[in-house]
């Protein structure tokens, strides 16, 4: 479904296809590499924030406008994401192992935020 970062909005358009289903189903539909992720557990809602640029690219304002899109995936239960247990300097890196660890969390909402024209 998502062949390039220009297509990320399709996840929101087709949101009903992913609601009440495991996160791994949604992630299978994303071809561009998710470079960084963050999880929020402070209060319900619980969600992941996925980005298609590295932290370094974001700091240097590098990458195409389309790559600056942010994908927020809300899940039903708290996310076991502890910064102190993640590799030092790689706390926000999204790796393939993450899909195995978090893939069974149930999606309840999808939000896509496109960058603003400058």
């Amino acid at each position: 479904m998502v062949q390039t970062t220009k297509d990320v909005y399709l996840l929101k358009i087709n949101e009903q296809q992913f609601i009440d289903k495991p996160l791994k189903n949604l992630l299978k539909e994303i071809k561009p590499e998710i470079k960084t992720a963050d999880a929020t557990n402070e209060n319900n809602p619980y969600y992941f924030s996925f980005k298609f640029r590295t932290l370094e690219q974001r700091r240097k304002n590098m990458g195409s406008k389309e790559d600056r899109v942010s994908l927020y995936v809300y899940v039903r239960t708290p996310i076991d994401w502890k910064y102190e247990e993640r590799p030092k300097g790689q706390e926000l890196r999204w790796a393939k192992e993450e899909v195995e660890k978090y893939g069974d969390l149930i999606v309840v909402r999808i939000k896509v935020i496109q960058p603003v024209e400058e």
Side-chain angles (χ1 to χ4, degrees):
M1 180 181 300
V2 177
Q3 299 301 312
T4 70
T5 51
K6 289 181 183 180
D7 301 331
V8 173
Y9 73 94
L10 293 172
L11 295 170
K12 180 61 179 175
I13 289 173
N14 295 288
E15 182 176 32
Q16 288 307 311
Q17 179 178 325
F18 303 106
I19 299 300
D20 295 325
K21 305 240 172 32
L23 175 63
K24 62 187 167 196
N25 292 11
L26 181 145
L27 294 172
K28 283 181 200 171
E29 297 295 327
I30 303 173
K31 188 159 187 139
E33 181 185 357
I34 294 171
K35 306 250 176 109
T36 61
D38 196 3
T40 299
N41 278 314
E42 308 219 344
N43 291 311
N44 195 351
Y46 313 111
Y47 63 90
F48 285 102
S49 167
F50 295 113
K51 311 266 190 212
F52 298 92
R53 296 187 300 159
T54 64
L55 196 53
E56 188 68 20
Q57 288 172 316
R58 291 187 350 225
R59 284 185 182 138
K60 293 182 177 180
N61 207 20
M62 296 169 53
S64 71
K65 176 181 164 265
E66 290 81 15
D67 289 349
R68 296 173 191 193
V69 65
S70 297
L71 171 64
Y72 293 85
V73 180
Y74 295 75
V75 294
R76 186 170 289 147
T77 55
I79 303 163
D80 181 24
W81 183 283
K82 296 180 179 77
Y83 286 97
E84 61 276 1
E85 294 176 10
R86 297 182 63 79
K88 188 82 173 144
Q90 300 290 315
E91 293 89 349
L92 297 178
R93 188 173 128 291
W94 181 255
K96 301 290 182 210
E97 309 84 65
E98 256 69 74
V99 177
E100 289 178 25
K101 184 171 183 177
Y102 304 110
D104 290 329
L105 294 175
I106 302 300
V107 174
V108 295
R109 181 178 173 211
I110 298 170
K111 186 161 76 170
V112 175
I113 298 182
Q114 294 284 349
V116 188
E117 291 288 334
E118 296 175 1

